[in-house]
Every structure is written in structure tokens, then in C-alpha cells.
Amino acid sequence: MSTEDELAQARKRVLAGGAERYHAANAAKGKLFARERIARLVDEGSFVEDGLFANSLAEGLPADGVITGTARLDGREVCLMANDSTVKAGSWGARTVEKIIRIIERAVEYGVPMIYLVDSAGARITDQVDLFPGRRGAGKIFHTQVRASGAIPQACALFGPSAAGGAYIPAFCDVVAMVEGNASMYLGSDRMVEMVTGEKTTLEAMGGAKVHCTESGVGHFLCKTEQDALDVVRAYLSYLPSNWEGRPPVAQPRETSGADLAAMVPASERQAFDMRRYVKALVDEGSFLEIQALWAKELTVGFARLDGEVIGVVGNNSMFKGGVLFPDSADKASRFVQLCDAFNVPLLFLCDVPGFMVGSAVEKQGIIRHGAKMITAISEATVPKICVVVRKAYGAGLYAMAGPGFDPDATIALPTAKIAVMGAEAAVNAVYANKIAALPTDEERAAFVAERRAEYEQDIDIMRLASELVVDTVVEPGDLRDELVRRYRAAARKDRGFARRRHGVTPV
Ligand SMILES: CCC(=O)SCCNC(=O)CCNC(=O)[C@H](O)C(C)(C)COP(=O)(O)OP(=O)(O)OC[C@H]1O[C@@H](n2cnc3c(N)ncnc32)[C@H](O)[C@@H]1OP(=O)(O)O
């Protein structure tokens, strides 16, 4: 049994983390000590730690390299873990693994978000028999995370490496914030890659924050500093309930920025406009939190507030690749729709979509299964869904954006809306190519095409579609926000039911 003094000494040693040289190395990279990260994130004095003395009989392994516990964040309970990279580079020993599993299990039991502050070399290779293969080995961390997914929010801030198995902790989170320059995720280190494949690369080039936030889509927020990463985790959680049974927190309603929605949408569909600007002008000022802003930019997704209530926005952005849907944008949408559906966040689809990309490159990438995944997510989402056709909704793009066949609570058209199997130019070409080719002069061909196009445009006129009940209403852009507020309010009492099956077989 320790004396009071010995206990205080032991506590002090653990709280100091690893040897000074590791602290100095981290500080030189601009990295904070794991305990400082926690202090900066949670409400002051609210952190309650478990397993402080884990592996304390071993030399040089304070807390076994991970800090776990409960805390309050903006007044709400959370569970968290933080790797201490001053202890064997934050690698996982057997107690590390047990502590991580226990805190995730606790988060599920308490029905509160789980936050992962990651900076880790993955499995502690020297201790592998104890931590790797068993029933409560490292694999159990991932199993527990997957079972927790959709039950509680899981958010990760990544400050340093997350090597090998360590890379899966972020991967199983809803979102990952990565600090530029220091954060990286990879299955094999640069040394291992060279040994196995001969490729010479670096952690940054292969799995750095920029790569994952702009190219692979594994990272969701690219952050300049550690503080930015902590702030974005806090912001993310502010839009979500503590668990799947709750409703998202309601905030004080705010006015819009006052920007003119009508003026933002050019009449010619050949002219691009920035859907992110449009969203920002529609929702409560300053409330749009865009997710994966730098990846698959032809589609924008994120949380926002409408009269104080949280919504999830999915919008086509014609500023990038004309707003056409690609495999990555389809994946981005499906994941976000699933996230919103899991946590009772109503969805708003803002359509300006020419359809899915065509051609051999995307077919080889499996555009059909990626598109099918997006359509599956939208079909399975039972939260209130409103589809606003801002400009065009062509082809399967209409289906992927929760068009009328996908049980939306409403399909709203703006006067600029066009809904069609394809645009007029493509349609006339598809149907009349032989007839056009048979005409003798350019003038005759041009006149024929212009006539057919005019007929086509008349056919898909939005007032005709309103009269056929294809859309539920047509509103002026200036009335859109009020219309949405009223409709979401009405849909809030919707009975979402439960599907009588285990789960679908999702196209992957
Ligand atoms: C589930 C399957 C798995 O997860 S297998 C895990 C495989 N992990 C790896 O291959 C990562 C190996 N480690 C690294 O690449 C580097 O340590 C990284 C993470 C990039 C950090 O580099 P750096 O900050 O320079 O630290 P460092 O290499 O000087 O290491 C500091 C001390 O920690 C140790 N360490 C590191 N990684 C591990 C590990 N996975 N298992 C056991 N020990 C590890 C190093 O040996 C070093 O110790 P010491 O200071 O020499 O006593």
C-alpha cells in the first residue's frame, strides 16, 4: 500500500507523461502534450480520468500511453481518449488497448459522444502477444467502434501519425480533423513501403493531412493548428444529439446574411455558380459547417441551422466539374446522408445536377455501384427530406438528389428549375441524330434543332410539372427559406418507423 506521499509522487510521474526528450521533440514540431489537448477541449475542471495508473509498475510507460475518461463539452457529457506520443510514440500496449475499449463501451452505455485525440504508432510491436490477437486485443477496438457507429457520434482529431492499425481508429469515426504538417494516416510506414514495393515516399506525401483531405477523402477537415482541430471537433458535435435517440440541439435563431438568392443563380445553365455561397445565404448566418470541403468539390455537404434548427445540406456545385456526380462525390453524399439519418438530422437537397459522369474512365472506377450507393442511402434515409430544384435536375441526378420518387417530404421547384431525363441539347441529339444528318444544309439543320429544342423545353416547363403534381410547389427564391422552415416544422413529428429486416445489401 502506498503512503499518501508515495501516491502523490506516483500521480505526478504519470501526469508528466514520457521522458523530457520526447516532449521537446513534440514541442519542436508545434505539438501539444496530450493532457494539454484535453484541457483545451473540454469544460474546465470537468475531466475525470480512468486508468491513470495503468502499467504503472513498468518503467517509462505512464498511463500506458493513453489518457481516457469522461468530461463535459459545452455543458454536455462526452467520453474521450488521447494518445500520449511521449510514451513509446503513443503505441498501444495491452493496457492501452483495454483502456480504449472500455472508454468506447462506456460512451455507448452512457449514450454520449466519443472523442478520439489521436497521435499513435499503432500496435506496440514489442508487446504484440499481449495486445494483438486476443478477444480483447486491438481488433476489439475496431469492433467496438463499428458497433458504436450511428449509436453515438464519434469524432477524431488527428495530431500526429496514426500508423497501421492506428489508422483505423480515425477511419471508423464519423469525421476526422487533421493538422496540416503533422497528422498522417497510413497502413505501412515509408520505410515499410520501400521494403515491400521499392517505392520511395514520405509519410506526408503518402498519408499526410493534405492528401487525405483533398485526394483520398479519409480526412474531413484540414486544420492549420491543433487548436483549429479541437475547435472543429467541438463545432461538429454542436450539431448532433448525444446519441441516436436524441434530437439535435436547437440554437437561438439567427437572420440570414441578407444576400439575394435570386441574383446568385445565372439563367444560363452553362454558367456556373457557387452552391456554398447559396447555402450560406439561405441558412442562419454563419451556421454552415462544411464537411470534406476540399474533396469531391462538385458536391457540397455540411450541417447548418435554419431558424435555429439543425439540417444537413447536400448541394451540387457547378463551380467544380459542372456539378456532375462522380464516384467520389457519390460516396461523399451517401456517407453524409447516412450520418444525418443516424442522428435525426433532417436533410435538404439543393439540386443543380446534370447527372452522373459518363465515359470509360468512370465506368472502370465503378460509377454505377458508387451511384447506386448514393441512391441507396437516400432511399433508406427516413429523416425529413426536402428536395429543392434550384436549377437543373437531369437524369439519375434527380434520383440521387432525393427527387420525387424517393419519398421526400416535399419537392420544391424554383422558377429557374428544369427537371428532365436529360438536357435539351443531349435529348435532341439522342432522338433526332439520323434526321438531322439527313438534312441537306446547315441552315436547315440549325432550324430543325432549334424547333425540337423549343418543343422539348415546353414539355419540361416547370409549371407543367407542377400541374402534373411532379413537384409539390413552385416558390420564389425570396420565399424559399420561410417555406423550408414551415415544412421542416410540420415534418418534425414524422413517424420514421423501422425497417423489418437486418439491413440491406448495400452496393459498395
Ligand atoms: C494492428 C497492427 C499495427 O498497428 S502494427 C503497428 C506498426 N506500427 C508501425 O510500424 C509504426 C512504427 N513507428 C514509427 O513509424 C514511428 O515511431 C512514428 C510513429 C512515425 C513516430 O516517429 P517518431 O516521433 O520519430 O518516434 P520514434 O520512431 O523515435 O519512436 C519513439 C519511441 O517509440 C518507439 N516506438 C515507435 N513505434 C513503436 C511501435 N509501434 N511499437 C513499439 N515501440 C515503438 C521507438 O522504438 C522509440 O523508442 P526509443 O526512444 O528508441 O526507446
Side-chain angles (χ1 to χ4, degrees), residues 21-22 25-26 29 31 85-92 119-127 131-132 138-139 142 161-168 184 186-192 203:
R21 66 178 183 286
Y22 301 118
N26 276 349
K29 293 179 196 152
K31 289 169 70 175
S85 60
T86 67
V87 179
K88 294 282 173 205
S91 60
W92 309 336
D119 187 355
S120 167
R124 195 172 296 150
I125 300 162
T126 43
D127 296 11
L131 73 95
F132 180 66
F142 313 140
S162 56
Y168 283 105
S184 57
Y186 49 89
L187 294 187
S189 69
D190 43 359
R191 280 199 297 266
M192 184 190 276
L203 298 187

Side-chain angles (χ1 to χ4, degrees), residues 14-87:
V14 176
L15 291 178
E20 185 45 41
R21 66 178 183 286
Y22 301 118
H23 285 276
N26 276 349
K29 293 179 196 152
K31 289 169 70 175
L32 297 169
F33 180 33
R35 291 186 182 277
E36 174 63 16
R37 290 172 183 152
I38 296 172
R40 288 189 183 207
L41 178 67
V42 304
D43 298 353
E44 200 176 344
S46 69
F47 183 52
V48 181
E49 185 166 353
D50 280 324
L52 180 73
F53 297 110
N55 226 355
S56 59
L57 303 181
E59 189 62 26
L61 293 169
D64 213 20
V66 73
I67 302 155
T68 60
T70 57
R72 289 177 84 82
L73 183 64
D74 291 335
R76 294 195 298 166
E77 289 297 331
V78 295
C79 287
L80 64 85
M81 60 134 276
N83 300 117
D84 180 356
S85 60
T86 67
V87 179

